[in-house]
């Protein structure tokens, strides 16, 4: 495998993906451009969920939302409520809930806000309580649409995303010595943090690398920034990204 990838997703999953690539005789360097930690409402999960009635809704934006919420519940010696409608934005999030004992999770066909809204388009959400477990910000469109349908929507910022601080010149030197030829991006926020960090003089080099992204939306953001070589994975899971790495390695033959 000719891939020499820069992995920018949070460290735990980034290192797992790096091991997958290295096991296939590729090379990978993990350099997170987002850090995940407990959010401002981490300690409010139990009190929010105990107010839910049967047939209300909990929507989890990511596996981070589920994991941090689960830890918060454990800290309060509480469990996930029963007879609630659980919605996971994607299959990885649903799998995470299953690991914590929630088996009846609904997953939309498209793993985004629009997919969730389509999943709920025929549901009676009027006066239903809906808790959205998320990070710091995002998914406003989802809440706005549900509020228009008279749902009682509450956000719970159970985790937060922050941008790490790096020495830009040291980064570029390290990446060029490693001879990276591809960059794996899993969110628009990570892409933005990366571009903001890179020295202006190194931008032409970075923008000319091959980027792997998990969706058409992030591909469009990449193109707007001047990135020409973009491969779209089938999702943001490590397996989806690894399959895209293999596809890129076979089809393009990076040297």
């Amino acid at each position: 495998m000719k891939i020499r990838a820069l992995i920018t997703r949070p460290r735990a999953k980034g290192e797992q993906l790096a091991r997958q690539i290295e096991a296939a005789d590729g090379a990978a360097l993990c350099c997170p451009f987002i850090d995940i930690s407990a959010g401002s409402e981490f300690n409010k999960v139990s009190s929010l969920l105990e107010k839910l009635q049967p047939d209300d809704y909990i929507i989890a934006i990511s596996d981070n939302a589920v994991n941090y919420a689960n830890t918060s519940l454990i800290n309060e010696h509480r469990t996930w409520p029963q007879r609630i409608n659980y919605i996971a934005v994607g299959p990885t999030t649903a799998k995470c809930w299953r690991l914590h004992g929630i088996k009846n999770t609904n997953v939309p066909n498209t793993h985004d806000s629009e997919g969730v809204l389509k999943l709920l388009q025929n549901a009676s959400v009027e006066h239903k309580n809906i808790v959205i477990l998320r990070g710091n910000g995002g998914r406003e469109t989802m809440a706005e649409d549900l509020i228009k349908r008279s749902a009682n929507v509450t956000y719970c910022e159970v985790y937060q995303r922050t941008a790490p601080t790096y020495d830009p010149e040291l980064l570029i030197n390290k990446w060029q010595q490693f001879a990276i030829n591809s960059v794996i991006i899993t969110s628009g926020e990570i892409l933005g943090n990366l571009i903001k960090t890179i020295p202006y003089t190194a931008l032409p080099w970075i923008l000319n690398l091959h980027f792997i992204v998990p969706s058409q939306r992030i591909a469009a953001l990449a193109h707007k920034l001047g990135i020409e070589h973009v491969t779209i994975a089938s999702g943001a899971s490590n397996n989806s990204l690894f399959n895209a790495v293999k596809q890129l390695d076979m089809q393009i033959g990076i040297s």
Side-chain angles (χ1 to χ4, degrees):
M1 184 176 277
K2 302 179 183 67
I3 288 285
R4 302 187 66 83
L6 172 67
I7 302 172
T8 62
R9 74 180 320 170
R11 186 168 301 280
K13 290 182 181 178
E15 290 179 347
Q16 290 172 2
L17 180 56
R19 289 193 291 270
Q20 280 183 274
I21 293 171
E22 289 163 355
D25 294 325
L29 186 64
C30 187
C31 184
F33 270 84
I34 204 164
D35 288 330
I36 305 295
S37 59
S40 62
E41 295 171 315
F42 173 79
N43 293 318
K44 295 182 179 180
V45 176
S46 178
S47 61
L48 284 174
L49 298 193
E50 71 182 7
K51 296 175 183 177
L52 296 178
Q53 302 298 314
D55 295 325
D56 282 341
Y57 290 84
I58 304 174
I59 301 174
I61 300 308
S62 67
D63 55 344
N64 285 316
V66 173
N67 283 328
Y68 275 92
N70 191 71
T71 299
S72 180
L73 289 173
I74 290 172
N75 290 347
E76 298 292 326
H77 307 289
R78 301 298 296 268
T79 58
W80 292 96
Q82 301 301 309
R83 295 197 295 167
I84 300 294
N85 296 299
Y86 285 86
I87 297 177
V89 170
T92 302
T93 305
K95 180 181 178 181
C96 187
W97 245 329
R98 286 196 297 273
L99 293 174
H100 299 311
I102 301 301
K103 311 296 185 183
N104 58 331
T105 305
N106 296 297
V107 181
N109 290 328
T110 59
H111 309 146
D112 51 23
S113 296
E114 291 73 18
V116 172
L117 293 174
K118 187 172 183 180
L119 182 67
L120 291 173
Q121 66 182 357
N122 295 320
S124 177
V125 299
E126 185 176 3
H127 305 310
K128 293 289 179 66
N129 297 306
I130 300 176
V131 173
I132 300 177
L133 302 172
R134 67 170 186 174
N136 46 318
R139 307 295 171 170
E140 279 75 13
T141 300
M142 182 193 299
E144 289 168 3
D145 186 279
L146 294 170
I147 289 169
K148 286 178 182 176
R149 295 170 59 190
S150 300
N152 302 315
V153 180
T154 303
Y155 285 125
C156 183
E157 294 188 358
V158 69
Y159 69 97
Q160 64 178 344
R161 306 175 306 277
T162 55
T165 301
Y166 292 114
D167 182 316
E169 298 296 339
L170 288 178
L171 274 188
I172 293 300
N173 288 338
K174 182 177 182 179
W175 296 349
Q176 290 183 336
Q177 287 175 10
F178 192 81
I180 65 169
N181 53 25
S182 54
V183 183
I184 298 173
I185 299 285
T186 51
S187 74
E189 188 173 4
I190 288 174
L191 179 59
N193 290 344
L194 170 70
I195 297 302
K196 289 174 189 174
T197 302
I198 300 306
Y200 181 77
T201 53
L203 272 178
W205 172 69
I206 287 288
L207 297 179
N208 194 47
L209 298 176
H210 292 261
F211 279 67
I212 295 173
V213 302
S215 69
Q216 185 61 54
R217 180 182 64 83
I218 299 172
L221 289 174
H223 288 310
K224 284 183 180 179
L225 290 168
I227 299 167
E228 295 184 9
H229 312 295
V230 180
T231 296
I232 303 175
S234 60
S237 70
N238 275 348
N239 284 339
S240 296
L241 295 167
F242 180 62
N243 287 335
V245 166
K246 291 191 292 184
Q247 172 191 335
L248 182 63
D249 190 67
M250 288 188 298
Q251 293 183 356
I252 299 178
I254 299 174
S255 58

